[in-house]
């Protein structure tokens, strides 16, 4: 996933200069001279300096290296999944410790799990169960220390894996021993909920430890550094998950004491209450319990909402940072390949075909059918004039995905400004199309993932409940599907509810995963299907019962064919009316009345507006800053047209001076030159367009103000800075001399 994109290339390619207009009114185009993404400037094509420690086949990277990181799922998602499943396993392990593992059936209700009662387990079972709980809590504590960097990664993560693996082995060992040496009698006894809680806890411990082992392997192979660089959302997720499970486990203990239930039944009651399912099979049976439901349900719902929100934001963050960006980069590279390289390869292929037909080159090499512009050397001849040396072509090296500025090859003859603007508008339009397709892909990708997770939880959960509840309720698979659907939507009619000792523990784990998944699915539906329905009803209201001012103009702006057809009809009608008016008035002469509403500037008008005074541009710069600041106040993020970008680009670039100062400004402040479909395009930024433009405009204003400072003031400031540096050096020299004397 991009981890090898910064490796060394076969030979350092020379960037071809693109023709751009150096005037203040130059349009948005690729920059002249070497770009920030070139090899010599430490861009993505440059070799990355590394200080990784090689130990046998392992490659241990320090915390401060600047190599790219891959295995993003192993480095980010796996630790957070473990931090979420670990506390859940601890809660289930507590339930397995405080409840006997075997129950006796009530003689009045033979074979009915809800009426069975527990009896004491062997001492060795209780002791080992307690040891497994201690190991599970210790592993979770070391993982927390790892996240907070209280204990080193190389110590904390192996301890978490080892302790959770010990907890798994102990729980599996005592469950197997119980089943082999002291199992319940077939007719009068059965395994309790505590036994199945222990099995599910062992599975969660094992899954979490194996996932963390994958994270450890990724670090050992040098795919990422050893520290967890958590965002605020990820920290909130860990904290809220722990608080939620503490609330769930504590509530189970309180309601078990107040209502006289077993801890496992009380835990099931708390889960059904917090998730607002409410089957009605367990209700508070006294006033104290009913009074405790008020604060407990509100607090649990708040914790659940916070946890679901953090999970949703984390899933969106993973999709945005990895899947969505990969999709954008793929589309962008495909566009670059089509616009700048494929035509050259097709010309070469056509030339070889002609040679083969003519028989001049029978041994000509055949081009690869699947051409990848990122892995091929493309040769261009820049000098096409008379007397040029065609024996020394300029090579543009392998086109990598991570390069920042695309250098397009043009002739040395100057390009007219209008043609230049049209070329840049094509690139701008291509990037805008990528933006639109990416937005649609983002929404429906999230919806697809949510629907897939919902379908799996629904169908697989129905299979488990069908098998688990067959002995107690004799339900069919369709009835199990119905029960799971009612539970997922938190309807909870109560006609079906888990009754078996297997079904209740599984329902706790399943519901804690399924209900948040359903919540995320509803949110994704709101961004896609429900959002489309809202837009459709709003548009219908705008055109019918609740008309909005200006809606017809906006509609015609989005549909140029309808607008042009109506314009032709209107022009014909206007011409006929003016003909009749001239006949009635005796053919009056003179200029016609000017249109009150001026049309927006075209590319031709922008190309003609080149000679603008610098002070006028400074005044326009201040006005543009104010307009952009007003655009930031709107609820909907503003996207500028290409004509607006041309004017904004001129205001950003007019304050630049020399290429050396330009490079320094870009290193210290922000981008001044870019390419629309390059990796440094404003449309590829994480900021909105208004934020990006406002930053660049303020930087341009700062450069312009620095240029207005008189030369003698600049020299005086430089001398003052030099004197202060000399004083610092002298002071440090005196300190060193005094230290030597003391030694």
């Amino acid at each position: 996933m991009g981890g090898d994109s910064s490796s060394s290339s076969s030979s350092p390619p020379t960037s071809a200069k693109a023709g751009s207009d150096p005037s203040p009114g130059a349009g948005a185009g690729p920059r002249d001279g070497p770009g920030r993404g070139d090899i010599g400037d430490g861009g993505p094509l440059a070799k990355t300096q590394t200080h990784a420690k090689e130990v046998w086949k392992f490659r241990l990277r320090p915390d401060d290296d600047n190599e790219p990181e891959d295995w993003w799922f192993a480095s980010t998602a796996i630790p957070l999944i473990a931090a979420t499943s670990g506390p859940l396993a601890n809660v289930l392990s507590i339930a397995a410790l405080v409840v006997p593992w075997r129950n006796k059936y009530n003689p009045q209700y033979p074979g009915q799990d809800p009426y069975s009662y527990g009896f004491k387990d062997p001492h060795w079972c209780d002791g080992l169960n307690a040891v497994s709980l201690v190991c599970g809590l210790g592993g979770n504590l070391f993982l927390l220390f790892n996240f907070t960097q209280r204990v080193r990664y190389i110590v904390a993560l192996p301890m978490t894996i080892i302790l959770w693996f010990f907890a798994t082995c102990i729980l599996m060992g005592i469950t197997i021993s119980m089943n082999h040496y002291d199992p319940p009698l077939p007719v009068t006894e059965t395994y309790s909920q505590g036994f199945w809680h222990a099995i599910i806890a062992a599975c969660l411990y094992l899954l979490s430890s194996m996932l963390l082992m994958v994270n450890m392997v990724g670090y050992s192979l040098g795919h990422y550094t050893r520290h967890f660089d958590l965002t605020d959302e990820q920290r909130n997720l860990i904290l809220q998950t722990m608080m939620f499970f503490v609330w769930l486990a504590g509530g189970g203990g309180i309601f078990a004491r107040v209502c006289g239930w077993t801890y496992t039944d009380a835990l099931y009651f708390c889960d059904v209450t917090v998730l607002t399912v409410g089957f009605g099979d367990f209700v508070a049976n006294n006033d104290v319990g009913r009074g405790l439901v008020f604060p407990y349900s509100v607090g649990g719902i708040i914790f659940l909402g916070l946890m679901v929100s953090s999970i949703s934001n984390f899933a969106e963050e993973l999709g945005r940072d990895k899947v969505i960006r990969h999709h954008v980069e793929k589309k962008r590279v495909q566009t670059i390949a089509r616009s700048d390289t494929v035509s050259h390869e097709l010309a070469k292929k056509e030339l070889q075909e002609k040679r083969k037909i003519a028989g001049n080159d029978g041994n000509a090499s055949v081009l690869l059918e699947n051409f990848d512009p990122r892995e091929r050397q493309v040769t261009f001849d820049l000098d096409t004039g008379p007397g040029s040396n065609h024996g020394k072509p300029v090579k543009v090296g392998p086109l990598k995905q991570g390069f920042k500025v695309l250098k397009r090859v043009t002739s040395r003859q100057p390009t007219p400004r209008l043609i230049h603007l049209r070329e840049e508008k094509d690139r701008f339009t291509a990037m805008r199309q990528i933006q639109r397709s990416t937005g649609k892909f983002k929404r429906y990708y999230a919806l697809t993932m949510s629907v897939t997770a919902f379908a799996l939880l629904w169908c697989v959960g129905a299979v488990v409940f069908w098998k688990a509840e067959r002995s107690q309720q004799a339900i069919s698979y369709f009835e199990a599907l119905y029960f799971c659907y009612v539970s997922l939507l938190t309807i909870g009619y109560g006609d079906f509810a888990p009754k078996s000792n297997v079904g209740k523990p599984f329902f706790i784990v399943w519901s804690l995963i399924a209900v948040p998944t359903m919540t995320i699915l509803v949110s994704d539906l709101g961004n896609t299907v429900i959002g489309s329905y809202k837009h459709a009803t709003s548009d219908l209201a705008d055109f019918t019962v609740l008309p909005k001012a200006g809606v017809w103009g906006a509609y015609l702006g989005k549909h140029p064919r309808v607008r042009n057809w109506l314009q032709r009809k209107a022009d014909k009608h206007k011409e006929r009316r003016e003909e009749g008016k001239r006949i009635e008035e005796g053919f009056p002469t003179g200029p016609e009345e000017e249109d009150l509403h001026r049309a927006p500037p075209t590319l031709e008008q922008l190309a003609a507006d080149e000679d603008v005074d610098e002070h006028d541009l400074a005044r326009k710069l201040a006005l543009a800053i104010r307009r952009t600041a007003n655009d930031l106040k709107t609820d909907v993020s503003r996207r500028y047209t290409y004509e607006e970008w041309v004017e904004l680009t001129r205001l950003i670039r007019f304050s630049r001076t020399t290429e050396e100062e330009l490079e320094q400004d870009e290193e210290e402040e922000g981008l001044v030159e870019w390419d629309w479909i390059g990796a440094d395009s404003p449309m590829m930024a994480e900021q909105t367009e208004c934020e990006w433009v406002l930053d660049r405009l303020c930087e341009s204003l700062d450069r312009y103000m620095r240029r207005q400072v008189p030369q003698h003031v600049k020299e005086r400031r430089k001398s003052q800075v030099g004197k202060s540096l000399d004083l610092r050096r002298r002071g440090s020299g005196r300190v060193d001399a005094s230290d030597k004397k003391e030694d």
Side-chain angles (χ1 to χ4, degrees):
M1 293 235 176
D4 300 331
S5 62
S6 60
S7 59
S8 61
S9 58
S10 58
S11 62
T14 305
S15 298
K17 290 188 178 182
S20 61
D21 195 347
S23 63
R31 56 183 299 176
D32 298 328
R36 293 173 63 190
D38 295 340
I39 291 179
D41 296 334
L45 297 181
K47 268 189 177 178
T48 306
Q49 187 176 4
T50 178
H51 303 284
K53 183 179 179 181
E54 302 286 345
V55 180
W56 190 48
K57 294 185 179 180
F58 300 121
R59 186 168 175 268
L60 308 181
R61 292 169 53 177
D63 297 340
D64 57 348
D65 74 349
N66 59 350
E67 288 188 74
E69 296 185 356
D70 52 3
W71 283 30
W72 58 271
F73 185 82
S75 63
T76 305
I78 282 180
L80 291 175
I81 292 174
T84 305
S85 60
L88 176 58
N90 294 151
V91 173
L92 299 179
S93 186
I94 293 172
L97 177 62
V98 300
V99 174
W101 284 16
R102 296 169 299 174
N103 281 2
K104 286 186 178 181
Y105 286 122
N106 191 326
Q108 298 180 359
Y109 303 97
Q112 295 295 316
D113 289 349
Y115 301 101
S116 60
Y117 54 92
F119 60 95
K120 191 171 180 59
D121 292 328
H123 294 292
W124 56 267
C125 180
D126 294 334
L128 291 174
N129 206 345
V131 172
S132 70
L133 177 60
V134 171
C135 291
L137 291 173
N140 208 15
L141 187 63
F142 272 105
L143 184 62
L144 182 61
F145 287 158
N146 196 357
F147 282 125
T148 57
Q149 299 182 6
R150 300 291 182 182
V151 181
R152 290 191 305 164
Y153 173 91
I154 201 65
V155 175
L157 193 66
M159 286 299 299
T160 301
I161 295 172
I162 292 171
L163 289 173
W164 280 354
F165 189 71
F166 279 169
T168 301
C169 294
I170 292 171
L171 286 175
M172 295 304 294
I174 56 180
T175 53
I176 293 173
S177 300
M178 175 73 74
N179 189 58
H180 183 73
Y181 293 106
D182 201 358
L185 299 178
V187 178
T188 59
E189 297 176 357
T190 184
Y191 283 117
S192 69
Q193 296 183 46
F195 177 82
W196 297 107
H197 275 289
I199 291 179
I200 298 175
C203 294
L204 289 176
Y205 282 137
L206 180 62
L207 176 64
S208 301
S209 60
M210 292 177 66
L211 289 175
L212 290 179
M213 287 175 66
V214 175
N215 179 269
M216 191 75 184
V217 169
Y219 162 68
S220 302
L221 297 179
H223 290 282
Y224 39 81
T225 56
R226 62 189 175 188
H227 64 88
F228 295 120
D229 189 13
L230 300 178
T231 62
D232 292 338
E233 290 292 341
Q234 295 166 2
R235 293 180 187 276
N236 292 337
L237 175 60
I238 295 172
L239 178 62
Q240 292 160 5
T241 301
M242 292 185 175
M243 293 175 63
F244 175 78
F245 286 117
V246 168
W247 188 264
L248 189 66
I254 294 173
F255 281 103
R257 184 64 180 269
V258 171
C259 298
W261 297 327
T262 62
Y263 182 78
T264 52
D265 286 338
L267 190 65
Y268 166 77
F269 166 78
C270 292
D271 177 72
V272 171
T273 301
V274 169
L275 295 178
T276 67
V277 178
F279 290 125
D281 50 347
F282 281 88
V283 293
N285 50 20
N286 53 53
D287 291 340
V288 178
R290 296 187 186 99
L292 289 174
V293 167
F294 294 136
Y296 182 79
S297 59
V298 172
I301 291 171
I302 291 174
F303 286 137
L304 179 67
L306 292 173
M307 187 177 69
V308 170
S309 176
S310 297
I311 292 174
S312 177
N313 291 335
F314 173 64
E316 182 180 357
E317 182 182 349
L318 282 180
R320 180 181 66 249
D321 291 345
K322 306 303 175 184
V323 180
I324 304 301
R325 288 187 181 180
H326 177 71
H327 175 78
V328 173
E329 189 68 13
K330 180 181 177 181
K331 292 290 185 182
R332 189 180 65 83
V333 171
Q334 288 177 354
T335 304
I336 292 172
R338 287 197 305 267
S339 61
D340 292 276
T341 312
V342 171
S343 59
H344 178 74
E345 287 294 318
L346 291 176
K348 288 178 64 178
K349 190 171 182 178
E350 183 179 357
L351 180 60
Q352 283 195 351
E353 292 294 335
K354 290 180 179 179
R355 288 180 178 177
K356 286 183 179 180
I357 294 174
N360 296 331
D361 190 6
N363 298 323
S365 59
V366 181
L367 289 174
L368 293 176
E369 293 181 1
N370 298 324
F371 170 70
D372 187 355
R374 295 166 289 171
E375 302 296 335
R376 294 288 302 276
Q377 291 283 349
V378 183
T379 303
F380 297 95
D381 190 359
L382 299 185
D383 198 346
T384 57
S388 60
N389 186 4
H390 295 278
K392 295 182 178 181
V394 178
K395 293 184 177 180
V396 177
L399 301 177
K400 297 290 184 179
Q401 276 189 334
F403 69 101
K404 289 187 175 180
V405 180
L406 178 69
K407 301 299 180 181
R408 291 175 301 141
V409 181
T410 58
S411 64
R412 291 186 176 180
Q413 298 179 357
T415 305
R417 177 167 167 74
L418 179 58
I419 298 177
H420 176 72
L421 289 176
R422 287 175 177 173
E423 291 175 354
E424 290 302 317
K425 185 173 183 179
D426 292 339
R427 303 171 75 81
F428 176 87
T429 305
M431 195 64 198
R432 190 65 90 192
Q433 290 176 353
I434 293 175
Q435 273 189 324
R436 295 193 189 98
S437 65
T438 301
K440 188 175 181 181
F441 172 80
K442 177 182 177 181
R443 294 191 299 271
Y444 284 95
Y445 170 80
L447 178 63
T448 302
M449 297 301 294
S450 301
V451 169
T452 303
F454 172 82
L456 287 174
L457 288 169
W458 183 22
C459 298
V460 175
V463 172
V464 175
F465 286 116
W466 175 44
K467 296 292 184 181
E469 299 295 326
R470 240 182 347 183
S471 61
Q472 301 297 317
Q473 306 183 59
I475 63 174
S476 62
Y477 180 68
F478 176 77
E479 290 173 334
L481 279 174
Y482 165 78
F483 162 73
C484 290
Y485 187 80
V486 170
S487 301
L488 279 168
L489 270 64
T490 67
I491 298 173
Y493 290 123
D495 50 349
F496 287 97
K499 295 182 179 180
S500 65
N501 291 337
V502 184
K504 290 178 182 177
F506 179 77
F507 180 82
I508 293 174
V509 179
W510 177 82
S511 60
L512 290 175
I513 301 173
V515 172
T517 302
M518 183 64 198
T519 306
I520 296 173
L521 173 61
V522 172
S523 176
D524 293 334
L525 285 172
N527 295 330
T528 53
V529 179
I530 299 175
S532 301
Y533 177 76
K534 288 173 62 178
H535 288 307
T537 54
S538 178
D539 293 341
L540 181 63
D542 290 340
F543 283 96
T544 54
V545 294
L546 297 172
K548 186 190 297 183
V551 66
W552 285 103
Y555 175 80
L556 294 177
K558 294 180 181 179
H559 299 80
R561 293 184 179 179
V562 179
R563 180 189 61 194
N564 295 335
W565 181 78
L566 291 176
Q567 186 67 39
R568 289 194 300 269
K569 292 292 184 181
D571 291 342
K572 289 181 180 179
H573 178 69
K574 182 179 179 181
E575 184 179 354
R576 292 173 184 173
R577 187 179 59 186
E578 289 178 352
E579 287 178 357
K581 186 177 179 180
R582 286 196 297 270
I583 293 173
E584 292 178 359
E585 296 180 358
F587 300 96
T589 59
E592 297 183 359
E593 184 180 358
E594 295 182 357
D595 191 6
L596 296 177
H597 302 286
R598 296 181 61 186
T602 61
L603 290 181
E604 290 76 7
Q605 295 173 347
L606 291 171
D609 187 18
E610 291 191 31
D611 298 330
V612 183
D613 185 68
E614 188 179 78
H615 298 291
D616 292 337
L617 288 175
R619 183 180 58 83
K620 291 183 178 180
L621 176 61
L623 296 175
I625 291 175
R626 187 172 66 179
R627 287 196 301 268
T628 309
N630 292 332
D631 292 339
L632 282 173
K633 299 177 183 179
T634 59
D635 296 332
V636 181
S637 179
R638 174 77 185 277
R639 286 188 174 183
Y640 299 104
T641 62
Y642 177 73
E643 288 74 15
E644 291 173 324
W645 268 108
V646 171
E647 183 64 23
L648 292 171
T649 303
R650 175 166 56 179
L651 297 177
I652 291 171
R653 295 177 179 172
F654 89 97
S655 58
R656 68 180 182 180
T657 52
T658 62
E659 289 293 334
E660 291 76 11
E661 293 181 1
L662 177 62
E663 293 287 342
Q664 184 178 359
D665 289 340
E666 289 194 346
E667 290 294 332
E668 295 177 356
E669 297 175 350
L671 199 64
V672 177
E673 299 283 354
W674 63 84
D675 179 47
W676 286 117
I677 56 176
D680 58 353
S681 171
M683 301 183 193
M684 294 285 290
E686 295 183 0
Q687 299 172 296
T688 62
E689 290 189 13
C690 297
E691 294 172 344
W692 194 94
V693 168
L694 185 60
D695 288 343
R696 303 292 86 77
L697 290 175
C698 291
E699 291 163 3
S700 179
L701 179 62
D702 180 64
R703 288 193 299 270
Y704 176 77
M705 297 302 295
R706 289 202 306 265
R707 283 168 48 185
Q708 307 309 311
V709 178
Q711 186 65 27
H712 68 277
V713 177
K714 294 181 181 179
E715 293 176 355
R716 185 174 61 189
R717 289 179 180 177
K718 288 182 180 180
S719 63
Q720 290 176 355
V721 172
K723 290 179 181 179
S724 63
L725 291 176
D726 291 339
L727 290 175
R728 290 179 183 177
R729 292 194 191 100
R730 292 173 184 175
S732 61
R734 291 173 183 173
V735 172
D736 294 339
S738 61
D739 292 339
K740 290 179 180 179
K741 289 180 180 179
E742 292 177 359
D743 295 338

